[in-house]
Amino acid sequence: MTSGRSRFRPSSSVARQKLAAAQRADLGRPPLGTRLTGYTPKGEVIQDEAEIVRVVFDRFTGGDSLRAIAAWLGETGVKTRRGGAWSPSTVATILKNPRYAGRAVYNGKPTGKPGDWEPIVTPEVFDRAQRRLDDPRRKTHHEGYDRRHLGAGLYRCGRCGKAMHSHTGARYRCPAGCLIRSAVPIDELVCGVVAARLARPDLAELLPTVDVEEVRAITGEIDRLTARIEEIEQDYDEGNIDGRRYRTATEKVQAELTAARSRLVRLTGSVGAAGDVLRADDPAEAFAAAPLMIRRSVIDLLLEVRVLTSPRGRRGFDPETVALTWKVA
Ligand SMILES: [Zn+2]
């Protein structure tokens, strides 16, 4: 397995190293010297990290912004490969790497050959992520404009089914030109209905994919382990334990912490950014206070919104002109 490595390693010239790298790529072997989140340097899958990579792809292809994914990774406590904080660009770096789909890469480009390592995502999921990364509307609408317009790209036109766009004068417009409607009354209606649903005591039943109690338990476990590490560090600082015991103790707790965080990622990944609101002590209040992108995620998880035409000449807002369908029981 490492024959390629020993054969190419003695080379000292840049040219020979490049040749070796090209040959490795040609043979579908993982490049030397770089470790991707999710793989050991030899290209073996690290399950906990692979799970995080999968969730990053799922959330992005499911409509989350790079910023929302970075914020969520930060909250779960997962670090980047270099131990730093996540940013939209480090999230994009993961999404753009064809090696996750098992495709060999040379000079940043796929060689067209399969790699000899285990893929973490399917080629279909990877290609879907590339299409969304390349979609200019993602930047203009979803990352920018939609911040001010709750339902843009989320509500559907009641006539043709296309996603509504933001339009001047705080309005929504069907891109096919079917209808234009004032945004504020529709947003107020949708938010009111969602908040009322969130206030009901059977919220946990409403979310079969998320075990709210288990998430609370794991969050508690993470807090406890984090506090334990601080205790051990304090013991070491005060000279109560020596360096060897300090390392043994922190390594054990750190391993438990990583496992707990990865369980949290698995549990909360499926509901995306909405999870923060749903797990809050008062979900309805958390929803009202949440940033626009988070509110969008909650609405998207719970409700299908179809905007219908408003009869001409009608004054005031008629709630009947917005069709709301629950996506959950
Ligand atoms: Zn339409």
Side-chain angles (χ1 to χ4, degrees):
M1 184 169 73
T2 53
S3 61
R5 181 178 302 204
S6 53
R7 205 188 315 147
F8 296 133
R9 189 186 272 168
S11 128
S12 55
S13 82
V14 172
R16 284 191 64 192
Q17 282 175 15
K18 275 191 179 167
L19 179 64
Q23 283 171 333
R24 283 191 68 83
D26 205 43
L27 291 168
R29 298 215 173 103
L32 296 174
T34 48
R35 183 178 98 71
L36 276 186
T37 301
Y39 291 105
T40 66
K42 287 180 181 173
E44 292 145 358
V45 172
I46 302 170
Q47 288 304 339
D48 285 354
E49 289 188 7
E51 196 59 43
I52 291 162
V53 170
R54 260 178 230 120
V55 173
V56 165
F57 273 92
D58 282 352
R59 291 181 66 139
F60 184 71
T61 54
D64 266 11
S65 68
L66 297 175
R67 193 174 303 277
I69 296 170
W72 164 77
L73 283 167
E75 279 161 24
T76 55
V78 174
K79 298 265 183 276
T80 66
R81 181 164 50 106
R82 296 194 169 87
W86 293 92
S87 65
S89 69
T90 48
V91 173
T93 305
I94 286 194
L95 291 166
K96 285 176 188 167
N97 197 319
R99 285 168 61 196
Y100 286 123
R103 290 173 181 158
V105 173
Y106 180 61
N107 270 348
K109 295 209 165 60
T111 60
K113 296 184 182 178
D116 72 351
W117 56 88
E118 190 186 325
I120 289 178
V121 297
T122 64
E124 291 75 30
V125 166
F126 182 82
D127 292 340
R128 205 177 306 144
Q130 306 320 298
R131 283 198 294 277
R132 186 156 182 249
L133 281 166
D134 295 339
D135 185 349
R137 282 174 307 171
R138 183 179 62 86
K139 284 176 186 141
T140 53
H141 283 284
H142 295 265
E143 307 270 2
Y145 223 50
D146 281 5
R147 287 243 170 84
R148 289 176 286 125
H149 297 85
L150 189 69
L154 179 63
Y155 302 165
R156 301 262 158 197
C157 168
R159 274 203 186 158
C160 71
K162 285 199 167 68
M164 302 291 283
H165 285 187
S166 289
H167 195 61
T168 52
R171 288 178 296 176
Y172 294 120
R173 178 184 179 275
C174 165
C178 302
L179 53 101
I180 295 180
R181 297 282 308 268
S182 292
V184 176
I186 301 176
D187 290 350
E188 282 176 353
L189 173 74
V190 169
C191 286
V193 166
V194 167
R197 186 66 189 86
L198 291 173
R200 275 166 54 175
D202 60 346
L203 181 62
E205 289 163 35
L206 187 139
L207 297 165
T209 52
V210 181
D211 188 334
V212 177
E213 286 309 311
E214 194 178 353
V215 168
R216 287 217 177 100
I218 295 173
T219 312
E221 170 90 352
I222 288 172
D223 290 345
R224 189 184 65 77
L225 292 167
T226 309
R228 180 73 193 113
I229 286 182
E230 282 166 15
E231 275 172 28
I232 298 167
E233 279 172 356
Q234 202 178 344
D235 276 349
Y236 179 64
D237 288 343
E238 290 170 358
N240 298 333
I241 53 170
D242 61 16
R244 191 180 55 82
R245 281 187 59 197
Y246 166 79
R247 271 193 303 280
T248 314
T250 46
E251 270 168 24
K252 182 172 169 288
V253 179
Q254 204 70 56
E256 287 176 32
L257 198 54
T258 305
R261 280 176 177 154
S262 128
R263 287 210 308 279
L264 187 63
V265 165
R266 268 196 294 276
L267 273 171
T268 61
S270 57
V271 291
D276 301 336
V277 166
L278 305 171
R279 287 193 305 276
D281 290 335
D282 184 342
E285 193 186 280
F287 174 71
L292 199 140
M293 290 306 284
I294 305 283
R295 272 184 289 148
R296 283 172 59 90
S297 305
V298 176
I299 295 167
D300 194 24
L301 186 75
L302 302 180
L303 206 57
E304 187 190 274
V305 180
R306 284 185 175 266
V307 180
L308 313 174
T309 35
S310 187
R312 273 181 200 284
R314 173 81 63 93
R315 297 180 72 88
F317 172 72
D318 179 3
E320 295 292 317
T321 59
V322 183
L324 303 175
T325 314
W326 292 105
K327 290 182 180 174
V328 289

